[in-house]
Amino acid sequence: DRDQMILSDDVKPLPVIEPDQYITISMKVNGLSIQTVATALDEGAKGQNIRARNEATGEIYQVIVTGPGQGDVSRESGGIAAAGREPAIVR
């Protein structure tokens, strides 16, 4: 209907990451910037938070989507959902 008002809640950003997609994630570890590949567990648009799993270690990362197929490990959550573990790349 042409007279219907569109509200901000009616507009949703298009996802640039789909579940089960391999994505490149960046994170800071001991002052170094590193990248690794993980599997997206959630759908996400740029700026949204999703979860991604490191297939080699099983660690779950909280990731902020930065673009198609890529994201940064979320600093506010500590980045790693698996309690008390460091990223495997540091070991």
Side-chain angles (χ1 to χ4, degrees):
D1 184 340
R2 291 173 18 150
D3 295 329
Q4 203 170 29
M5 183 180 287
I6 296 175
L7 304 173
S8 61
D9 288 344
D10 296 328
V11 179
K12 295 185 180 179
L14 292 174
V16 294
I17 292 178
E18 299 291 334
D20 297 322
Q21 175 184 349
Y22 288 113
I23 62 172
T24 301
I25 57 173
S26 301
M27 66 181 89
K28 294 242 187 236
V29 177
N30 297 328
L32 298 173
S33 229
I34 60 171
Q35 291 185 330
T36 191
V37 176
T39 302
L41 300 176
D42 307 308
E43 174 182 274
K46 188 173 180 180
Q48 291 182 326
N49 286 302
I50 65 166
R51 296 170 302 134
R53 179 179 50 243
N54 180 323
E55 295 300 329
T57 65
E59 293 169 322
I60 306 294
Y61 302 115
Q62 297 297 320
V63 177
I64 300 170
V65 178
T66 58
Q70 60 188 7
D72 290 336
V73 172
S74 171
R75 286 179 181 80
E76 58 271 5
S77 68
I80 301 169
R85 297 181 66 185
E86 291 183 14
I89 201 158
V90 181
R91 292 187 183 132

